[in-house]
């Protein structure tokens, strides 16, 4: 095979809770790429719209919990976005209580020329070949997942999610918790 595969890369933008330090902070990739981030906001808005239409209750819960200053693009339901370039993932479960992750892929050419990168929910025995324009919404903090096959060619994956630890450690967390409790038990 004379084909040379592009170098795999990962970029994390947005926010995370630094457990050892005890505070919420931005990924360094966010600071280094801030001027380029607005280019992904229309895609995040589109992903947010489909999340809301497809799983309205789950979207409402996630969207309600995320403080506005941590939303990527200002209006999305995501605090964090991982951008992958031809990067396969080993079997793992996402940490920090991520309720739902939304994943899509894009390719630099049409029709796309990459192969591989099939996404798998391991315990469920489900696999998906997420193509450009597809949106996969999964509870990746509860389900082991990975890529079954290596990527040949250039494939960009966009994974958007809300790191729940941000809400738990944000000053408004008690206000939100009290509001939710009041909605469940009105008049108590």
């Amino acid at each position: 095979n004379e084909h040379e595969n592009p170098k795999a890369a990962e970029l994390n933008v947005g926010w995370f809770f630094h457990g050892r330090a005890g505070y919420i902070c931005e990924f360094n990739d966010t600071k280094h790429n801030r001027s380029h981030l607005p280019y992904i906001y229309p895609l995040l808005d589109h992903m947010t719209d489909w999340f809301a239409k497809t799983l309205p209750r789950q979207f409402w819960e996630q969207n309600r919990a995320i403080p506005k200053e941590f939303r990527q693009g200002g209006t999305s339901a995501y605090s964090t976005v991982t951008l992958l370039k031809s990067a396969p993932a080993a079997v793992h479960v996402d940490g920090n209580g991520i309720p739902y992750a939304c994943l899509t892929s894009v390719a630099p050419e049409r029709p796309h020329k990459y192969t591989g990168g099939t996404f798998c929910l391991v315990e469920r025995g489900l696999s998906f070949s997420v193509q450009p324009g597809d949106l996969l919404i999964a509870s990746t903090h509860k389900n082991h997942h990975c890529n079954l096959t290596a990527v040949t060619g250039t494939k960009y994956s966009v994974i958007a999610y809300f790191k729940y630890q941000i809400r738990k450690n944000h000053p408004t967390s008690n206000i939100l918790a009290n509001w939710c409790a009041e909605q469940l038990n009105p008049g108590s």
Side-chain angles (χ1 to χ4, degrees):
N1 181 339
E2 294 181 24
H3 178 270
E4 187 173 319
N5 213 35
K7 183 178 177 183
E10 179 174 338
L11 190 73
N12 291 291
V13 296
W15 301 90
F16 69 99
F17 178 70
H18 194 295
R20 286 181 292 199
Y23 57 85
I24 299 167
C25 53
E26 279 187 303
F27 284 101
N28 285 332
D29 290 339
T30 307
K31 298 170 189 172
H32 297 134
N33 294 285
R34 194 172 312 281
S35 64
H36 301 291
L37 295 180
Y39 293 107
I40 66 168
Y41 295 160
L43 177 60
L44 295 180
D45 288 341
H46 193 67
M47 293 167 71
T48 297
D49 290 346
W50 277 104
F51 182 16
K53 291 174 187 172
T54 307
L55 296 170
R57 183 180 58 80
Q58 292 85 345
F59 170 80
W60 182 86
E61 291 169 359
Q62 181 166 318
N63 195 49
R64 182 89 180 141
I66 183 170
K68 67 180 178 180
E69 62 269 31
F70 299 112
R71 294 174 184 272
Q72 291 303 297
T75 59
S76 77
Y78 321 110
S79 64
T80 310
V81 179
T82 299
L83 304 165
L84 302 174
K85 178 183 178 186
S86 304
V91 175
H92 68 285
V93 174
D94 293 332
N96 290 318
I98 297 165
Y100 290 89
C102 295
L103 177 137
T104 192
S105 65
V106 293
E109 64 273 316
R110 289 187 182 159
H112 68 79
K113 296 178 183 172
Y114 69 82
T115 60
T118 301
F119 182 89
C120 176
L121 291 168
V122 178
E123 290 97 348
R124 301 194 182 276
L126 298 172
S127 62
F128 307 91
S129 178
V130 181
Q131 300 296 311
D134 292 347
L135 180 65
L136 175 66
I137 304 169
S139 184
T140 57
H141 76 293
K142 293 181 179 178
N143 296 285
H144 285 86
H145 55 282
C146 65
N147 294 111
L148 293 177
T149 55
V151 176
T152 302
T154 303
K155 174 185 179 183
Y156 295 97
S157 297
V158 180
I159 305 106
Y161 46 95
F162 170 43
K163 287 189 173 266
Y164 194 71
Q165 291 288 16
I166 290 172
R167 185 190 105 31
K168 286 176 57 177
N169 293 284
H170 187 264
T172 62
S173 63
N174 288 336
I175 296 167
L176 288 169
N178 292 342
W179 181 87
C180 288
E182 187 177 302
Q183 299 307 306
L184 295 172
N185 301 307
S188 59

mmCIF file of all heavy atoms in Angstrom, residues 121-157:
data_model
loop_
_atom_site.group_PDB
_atom_site.id
_atom_site.type_symbol
_atom_site.label_atom_id
_atom_site.label_comp_id
_atom_site.label_asym_id
_atom_site.label_seq_id
_atom_site.Cartn_x
_atom_site.Cartn_y
_atom_site.Cartn_z
ATOM 1 N N LEU A 121 -20.747 0.852 20.288
ATOM 2 C CA LEU A 121 -21.177 0.798 21.687
ATOM 3 C C LEU A 121 -20.991 -0.660 22.108
ATOM 4 O O LEU A 121 -21.778 -1.533 21.715
ATOM 5 C CB LEU A 121 -22.631 1.243 21.833
ATOM 6 C CG LEU A 121 -22.876 2.725 21.564
ATOM 7 C CD1 LEU A 121 -24.363 3.022 21.448
ATOM 8 C CD2 LEU A 121 -22.246 3.581 22.648
ATOM 9 N N VAL A 122 -19.939 -0.926 22.855
ATOM 10 C CA VAL A 122 -19.444 -2.271 23.090
ATOM 11 C C VAL A 122 -20.478 -3.197 23.733
ATOM 12 O O VAL A 122 -20.801 -4.254 23.170
ATOM 13 C CB VAL A 122 -18.142 -2.233 23.929
ATOM 14 C CG1 VAL A 122 -17.636 -3.634 24.218
ATOM 15 C CG2 VAL A 122 -17.079 -1.417 23.208
ATOM 16 N N GLU A 123 -21.004 -2.831 24.911
ATOM 17 C CA GLU A 123 -21.931 -3.728 25.614
ATOM 18 C C GLU A 123 -23.227 -3.965 24.842
ATOM 19 O O GLU A 123 -23.865 -4.995 24.991
ATOM 20 C CB GLU A 123 -22.301 -3.192 27.005
ATOM 21 C CG GLU A 123 -21.199 -3.220 28.014
ATOM 22 C CD GLU A 123 -20.476 -1.889 28.139
ATOM 23 O OE1 GLU A 123 -20.676 -1.010 27.279
ATOM 24 O OE2 GLU A 123 -19.713 -1.732 29.087
ATOM 25 N N ARG A 124 -23.599 -3.010 24.043
ATOM 26 C CA ARG A 124 -24.851 -3.134 23.286
ATOM 27 C C ARG A 124 -24.655 -3.872 21.967
ATOM 28 O O ARG A 124 -25.629 -4.227 21.307
ATOM 29 C CB ARG A 124 -25.457 -1.764 23.053
ATOM 30 C CG ARG A 124 -25.748 -1.060 24.376
ATOM 31 C CD ARG A 124 -26.625 0.121 24.192
ATOM 32 N NE ARG A 124 -26.858 0.808 25.431
ATOM 33 C CZ ARG A 124 -27.779 0.496 26.328
ATOM 34 N NH1 ARG A 124 -28.570 -0.526 26.111
ATOM 35 N NH2 ARG A 124 -27.936 1.193 27.421
ATOM 36 N N GLY A 125 -23.397 -4.057 21.580
ATOM 37 C CA GLY A 125 -23.120 -4.758 20.327
ATOM 38 C C GLY A 125 -23.585 -3.993 19.108
ATOM 39 O O GLY A 125 -23.913 -4.572 18.080
ATOM 40 N N LEU A 126 -23.601 -2.674 19.205
ATOM 41 C CA LEU A 126 -24.056 -1.823 18.102
ATOM 42 C C LEU A 126 -22.866 -1.104 17.485
ATOM 43 O O LEU A 126 -21.988 -0.614 18.206
ATOM 44 C CB LEU A 126 -25.052 -0.779 18.610
ATOM 45 C CG LEU A 126 -26.342 -1.303 19.207
ATOM 46 C CD1 LEU A 126 -27.138 -0.161 19.845
ATOM 47 C CD2 LEU A 126 -27.178 -2.006 18.147
ATOM 48 N N SER A 127 -22.849 -1.024 16.171
ATOM 49 C CA SER A 127 -21.801 -0.255 15.515
ATOM 50 C C SER A 127 -22.435 0.656 14.472
ATOM 51 O O SER A 127 -23.477 0.336 13.896
ATOM 52 C CB SER A 127 -20.761 -1.168 14.877
ATOM 53 O OG SER A 127 -21.342 -1.970 13.880
ATOM 54 N N PHE A 128 -21.799 1.808 14.275
ATOM 55 C CA PHE A 128 -22.315 2.831 13.378
ATOM 56 C C PHE A 128 -21.176 3.393 12.549
ATOM 57 O O PHE A 128 -20.140 3.760 13.093
ATOM 58 C CB PHE A 128 -22.933 3.995 14.171
ATOM 59 C CG PHE A 128 -23.949 3.577 15.180
ATOM 60 C CD1 PHE A 128 -23.579 3.290 16.483
ATOM 61 C CD2 PHE A 128 -25.278 3.461 14.833
ATOM 62 C CE1 PHE A 128 -24.515 2.910 17.427
ATOM 63 C CE2 PHE A 128 -26.222 3.075 15.763
ATOM 64 C CZ PHE A 128 -25.840 2.797 17.061
ATOM 65 N N SER A 129 -21.389 3.486 11.273
ATOM 66 C CA SER A 129 -20.439 4.161 10.405
ATOM 67 C C SER A 129 -20.943 5.588 10.258
ATOM 68 O O SER A 129 -21.801 5.872 9.417
ATOM 69 C CB SER A 129 -20.368 3.458 9.052
ATOM 70 O OG SER A 129 -19.489 4.148 8.207
ATOM 71 N N VAL A 130 -20.486 6.473 11.130
ATOM 72 C CA VAL A 130 -20.970 7.851 11.151
ATOM 73 C C VAL A 130 -20.359 8.595 9.966
ATOM 74 O O VAL A 130 -19.159 8.824 9.907
ATOM 75 C CB VAL A 130 -20.617 8.552 12.484
ATOM 76 C CG1 VAL A 130 -21.148 9.980 12.491
ATOM 77 C CG2 VAL A 130 -21.191 7.765 13.662
ATOM 78 N N GLN A 131 -21.220 8.952 9.026
ATOM 79 C CA GLN A 131 -20.807 9.612 7.783
ATOM 80 C C GLN A 131 -21.007 11.123 7.905
ATOM 81 O O GLN A 131 -21.773 11.590 8.750
ATOM 82 C CB GLN A 131 -21.650 9.083 6.620
ATOM 83 C CG GLN A 131 -21.538 7.597 6.397
ATOM 84 C CD GLN A 131 -20.130 7.200 5.992
ATOM 85 O OE1 GLN A 131 -19.534 7.793 5.097
ATOM 86 N NE2 GLN A 131 -19.581 6.193 6.665
ATOM 87 N N PRO A 132 -20.350 11.900 7.061
ATOM 88 C CA PRO A 132 -20.603 13.342 7.060
ATOM 89 C C PRO A 132 -22.105 13.619 6.912
ATOM 90 O O PRO A 132 -22.775 13.049 6.061
ATOM 91 C CB PRO A 132 -19.820 13.836 5.836
ATOM 92 C CG PRO A 132 -18.687 12.862 5.725
ATOM 93 C CD PRO A 132 -19.299 11.534 6.100
ATOM 94 N N GLY A 133 -22.610 14.465 7.792
ATOM 95 C CA GLY A 133 -24.034 14.784 7.796
ATOM 96 C C GLY A 133 -24.846 13.955 8.781
ATOM 97 O O GLY A 133 -25.972 14.312 9.107
ATOM 98 N N ASP A 134 -24.304 12.828 9.259
ATOM 99 C CA ASP A 134 -24.990 12.017 10.273
ATOM 100 C C ASP A 134 -24.782 12.649 11.647
ATOM 101 O O ASP A 134 -23.802 13.359 11.872
ATOM 102 C CB ASP A 134 -24.424 10.598 10.334
ATOM 103 C CG ASP A 134 -24.724 9.772 9.101
ATOM 104 O OD1 ASP A 134 -25.569 10.192 8.284
ATOM 105 O OD2 ASP A 134 -24.104 8.702 8.957
ATOM 106 N N LEU A 135 -25.697 12.370 12.569
ATOM 107 C CA LEU A 135 -25.529 12.785 13.961
ATOM 108 C C LEU A 135 -25.836 11.588 14.846
ATOM 109 O O LEU A 135 -26.926 11.025 14.777
ATOM 110 C CB LEU A 135 -26.460 13.951 14.312
ATOM 111 C CG LEU A 135 -26.353 14.461 15.750
ATOM 112 C CD1 LEU A 135 -24.982 15.083 16.017
ATOM 113 C CD2 LEU A 135 -27.452 15.473 16.042
ATOM 114 N N LEU A 136 -24.874 11.195 15.653
ATOM 115 C CA LEU A 136 -25.051 10.120 16.618
ATOM 116 C C LEU A 136 -25.128 10.750 17.992
ATOM 117 O O LEU A 136 -24.245 11.519 18.376
ATOM 118 C CB LEU A 136 -23.875 9.135 16.546
ATOM 119 C CG LEU A 136 -23.881 8.028 17.585
ATOM 120 C CD1 LEU A 136 -25.051 7.075 17.371
ATOM 121 C CD2 LEU A 136 -22.570 7.263 17.549
ATOM 122 N N ILE A 137 -26.199 10.455 18.728
ATOM 123 C CA ILE A 137 -26.376 10.946 20.094
ATOM 124 C C ILE A 137 -26.338 9.729 20.997
ATOM 125 O O ILE A 137 -27.131 8.795 20.821
ATOM 126 C CB ILE A 137 -27.716 11.694 20.263
ATOM 127 C CG1 ILE A 137 -27.826 12.836 19.248
ATOM 128 C CG2 ILE A 137 -27.858 12.218 21.693
ATOM 129 C CD1 ILE A 137 -29.206 13.452 19.159
ATOM 130 N N ALA A 138 -25.410 9.722 21.952
ATOM 131 C CA ALA A 138 -25.246 8.545 22.800
ATOM 132 C C ALA A 138 -24.894 8.957 24.230
ATOM 133 O O ALA A 138 -24.273 9.993 24.454
ATOM 134 C CB ALA A 138 -24.157 7.631 22.239
ATOM 135 N N SER A 139 -25.285 8.116 25.150
ATOM 136 C CA SER A 139 -24.939 8.310 26.556
ATOM 137 C C SER A 139 -23.572 7.669 26.793
ATOM 138 O O SER A 139 -23.464 6.558 27.296
ATOM 139 C CB SER A 139 -26.017 7.677 27.436
ATOM 140 O OG SER A 139 -25.748 7.920 28.783
ATOM 141 N N THR A 140 -22.534 8.391 26.416
ATOM 142 C CA THR A 140 -21.189 7.822 26.399
ATOM 143 C C THR A 140 -20.533 7.745 27.769
ATOM 144 O O THR A 140 -19.466 7.173 27.899
ATOM 145 C CB THR A 140 -20.282 8.618 25.441
ATOM 146 O OG1 THR A 140 -20.284 9.992 25.849
ATOM 147 C CG2 THR A 140 -20.762 8.495 24.003
ATOM 148 N N HIS A 141 -21.162 8.309 28.798
ATOM 149 C CA HIS A 141 -20.607 8.166 30.140
ATOM 150 C C HIS A 141 -21.103 6.874 30.801
ATOM 151 O O HIS A 141 -20.609 6.483 31.839
ATOM 152 C CB HIS A 141 -20.931 9.388 31.008
ATOM 153 C CG HIS A 141 -22.355 9.422 31.506
ATOM 154 N ND1 HIS A 141 -23.429 9.589 30.666
ATOM 155 C CD2 HIS A 141 -22.853 9.308 32.749
ATOM 156 C CE1 HIS A 141 -24.540 9.582 31.383
ATOM 157 N NE2 HIS A 141 -24.219 9.413 32.650
ATOM 158 N N LYS A 142 -22.066 6.211 30.180
ATOM 159 C CA LYS A 142 -22.599 4.954 30.714
ATOM 160 C C LYS A 142 -22.204 3.756 29.863
ATOM 161 O O LYS A 142 -22.351 2.627 30.298
ATOM 162 C CB LYS A 142 -24.125 5.014 30.783
ATOM 163 C CG LYS A 142 -24.662 5.993 31.786
ATOM 164 C CD LYS A 142 -26.175 5.941 31.791
ATOM 165 C CE LYS A 142 -26.750 6.902 32.802
ATOM 166 N NZ LYS A 142 -28.214 6.893 32.771
ATOM 167 N N ASN A 143 -21.784 3.987 28.648
ATOM 168 C CA ASN A 143 -21.531 2.900 27.703
ATOM 169 C C ASN A 143 -20.088 2.914 27.207
ATOM 170 O O ASN A 143 -19.618 3.941 26.691
ATOM 171 C CB ASN A 143 -22.471 3.037 26.492
ATOM 172 C CG ASN A 143 -23.917 2.885 26.890
ATOM 173 O OD1 ASN A 143 -24.373 1.789 27.147
ATOM 174 N ND2 ASN A 143 -24.650 3.990 26.943
ATOM 175 N N HIS A 144 -19.421 1.768 27.340
ATOM 176 C CA HIS A 144 -18.089 1.643 26.745
ATOM 177 C C HIS A 144 -18.238 1.788 25.240
ATOM 178 O O HIS A 144 -19.158 1.240 24.641
ATOM 179 C CB HIS A 144 -17.478 0.275 27.069
ATOM 180 C CG HIS A 144 -16.991 0.177 28.468
ATOM 181 N ND1 HIS A 144 -17.799 -0.173 29.519
ATOM 182 C CD2 HIS A 144 -15.756 0.401 28.986
ATOM 183 C CE1 HIS A 144 -17.100 -0.175 30.628
ATOM 184 N NE2 HIS A 144 -15.852 0.171 30.340
ATOM 185 N N HIS A 145 -17.309 2.523 24.641
ATOM 186 C CA HIS A 145 -17.357 2.740 23.203
ATOM 187 C C HIS A 145 -15.946 2.870 22.655
ATOM 188 O O HIS A 145 -14.986 3.091 23.399
ATOM 189 C CB HIS A 145 -18.204 3.973 22.858
ATOM 190 C CG HIS A 145 -17.766 5.224 23.555
ATOM 191 N ND1 HIS A 145 -18.063 5.480 24.876
ATOM 192 C CD2 HIS A 145 -17.057 6.293 23.118
ATOM 193 C CE1 HIS A 145 -17.557 6.641 25.231
ATOM 194 N NE2 HIS A 145 -16.930 7.165 24.171
ATOM 195 N N CYS A 146 -15.838 2.697 21.339
ATOM 196 C CA CYS A 146 -14.533 2.751 20.676
ATOM 197 C C CYS A 146 -14.753 2.834 19.170
ATOM 198 O O CYS A 146 -15.880 2.810 18.697
ATOM 199 C CB CYS A 146 -13.713 1.505 21.009
ATOM 200 S SG CYS A 146 -14.433 -0.026 20.366
ATOM 201 N N ASN A 147 -13.651 2.911 18.460
ATOM 202 C CA ASN A 147 -13.683 2.757 17.012
ATOM 203 C C ASN A 147 -13.209 1.348 16.696
ATOM 204 O O ASN A 147 -12.187 0.902 17.210
ATOM 205 C CB ASN A 147 -12.785 3.776 16.315
ATOM 206 C CG ASN A 147 -13.293 5.184 16.495
ATOM 207 O OD1 ASN A 147 -12.685 5.977 17.177
ATOM 208 N ND2 ASN A 147 -14.431 5.496 15.896
ATOM 209 N N LEU A 148 -13.971 0.643 15.885
ATOM 210 C CA LEU A 148 -13.638 -0.744 15.546
ATOM 211 C C LEU A 148 -12.520 -0.853 14.522
ATOM 212 O O LEU A 148 -11.791 -1.842 14.503
ATOM 213 C CB LEU A 148 -14.875 -1.465 15.002
ATOM 214 C CG LEU A 148 -16.011 -1.697 15.980
ATOM 215 C CD1 LEU A 148 -17.189 -2.346 15.259
ATOM 216 C CD2 LEU A 148 -15.548 -2.570 17.135
ATOM 217 N N THR A 149 -12.409 0.143 13.657
ATOM 218 C CA THR A 149 -11.434 0.076 12.575
ATOM 219 C C THR A 149 -10.628 1.366 12.507
ATOM 220 O O THR A 149 -11.114 2.435 12.874
ATOM 221 C CB THR A 149 -12.148 -0.144 11.218
ATOM 222 O OG1 THR A 149 -13.116 0.889 11.033
ATOM 223 C CG2 THR A 149 -12.836 -1.495 11.177
ATOM 224 N N ALA A 150 -9.415 1.249 12.055
ATOM 225 C CA ALA A 150 -8.569 2.426 11.872
ATOM 226 C C ALA A 150 -9.102 3.272 10.726
ATOM 227 O O ALA A 150 -9.799 2.772 9.840
ATOM 228 C CB ALA A 150 -7.136 1.983 11.579
ATOM 229 N N VAL A 151 -8.786 4.541 10.754
ATOM 230 C CA VAL A 151 -9.185 5.455 9.689
ATOM 231 C C VAL A 151 -8.066 5.512 8.650
ATOM 232 O O VAL A 151 -6.903 5.712 8.990
ATOM 233 C CB VAL A 151 -9.452 6.871 10.238
ATOM 234 C CG1 VAL A 151 -9.762 7.839 9.110
ATOM 235 C CG2 VAL A 151 -10.584 6.845 11.246
ATOM 236 N N THR A 152 -8.450 5.327 7.406
ATOM 237 C CA THR A 152 -7.524 5.523 6.289
ATOM 238 C C THR A 152 -8.037 6.726 5.518
ATOM 239 O O THR A 152 -9.202 6.766 5.128
ATOM 240 C CB THR A 152 -7.479 4.277 5.383
ATOM 241 O OG1 THR A 152 -7.084 3.151 6.163
ATOM 242 C CG2 THR A 152 -6.504 4.472 4.247
ATOM 243 N N GLY A 153 -7.179 7.702 5.313
ATOM 244 C CA GLY A 153 -7.597 8.950 4.700
ATOM 245 C C GLY A 153 -7.845 9.988 5.777
ATOM 246 O O GLY A 153 -7.524 9.777 6.943
ATOM 247 N N THR A 154 -8.429 11.107 5.400
ATOM 248 C CA THR A 154 -8.660 12.192 6.356
ATOM 249 C C THR A 154 -10.136 12.263 6.725
ATOM 250 O O THR A 154 -10.986 12.501 5.880
ATOM 251 C CB THR A 154 -8.212 13.549 5.763
ATOM 252 O OG1 THR A 154 -6.826 13.450 5.406
ATOM 253 C CG2 THR A 154 -8.397 14.662 6.772
ATOM 254 N N LYS A 155 -10.398 12.037 8.001
ATOM 255 C CA LYS A 155 -11.748 12.115 8.551
ATOM 256 C C LYS A 155 -11.689 13.005 9.784
ATOM 257 O O LYS A 155 -10.843 12.815 10.647
ATOM 258 C CB LYS A 155 -12.252 10.730 8.964
ATOM 259 C CG LYS A 155 -13.595 10.758 9.666
ATOM 260 C CD LYS A 155 -14.000 9.385 10.177
ATOM 261 C CE LYS A 155 -15.326 9.432 10.883
ATOM 262 N NZ LYS A 155 -15.698 8.132 11.442
ATOM 263 N N TYR A 156 -12.583 13.976 9.841
ATOM 264 C CA TYR A 156 -12.678 14.828 11.017
ATOM 265 C C TYR A 156 -13.938 14.436 11.783
ATOM 266 O O TYR A 156 -15.018 14.351 11.202
ATOM 267 C CB TYR A 156 -12.757 16.299 10.619
ATOM 268 C CG TYR A 156 -11.506 16.800 9.940
ATOM 269 C CD1 TYR A 156 -11.428 16.856 8.559
ATOM 270 C CD2 TYR A 156 -10.400 17.202 10.691
ATOM 271 C CE1 TYR A 156 -10.283 17.308 7.929
ATOM 272 C CE2 TYR A 156 -9.255 17.649 10.066
ATOM 273 C CZ TYR A 156 -9.194 17.701 8.695
ATOM 274 O OH TYR A 156 -8.058 18.138 8.073
ATOM 275 N N SER A 157 -13.782 14.193 13.069
ATOM 276 C CA SER A 157 -14.923 13.895 13.934
ATOM 277 C C SER A 157 -15.112 15.071 14.885
ATOM 278 O O SER A 157 -14.137 15.632 15.397
ATOM 279 C CB SER A 157 -14.686 12.620 14.735
ATOM 280 O OG SER A 157 -14.568 11.515 13.875
#
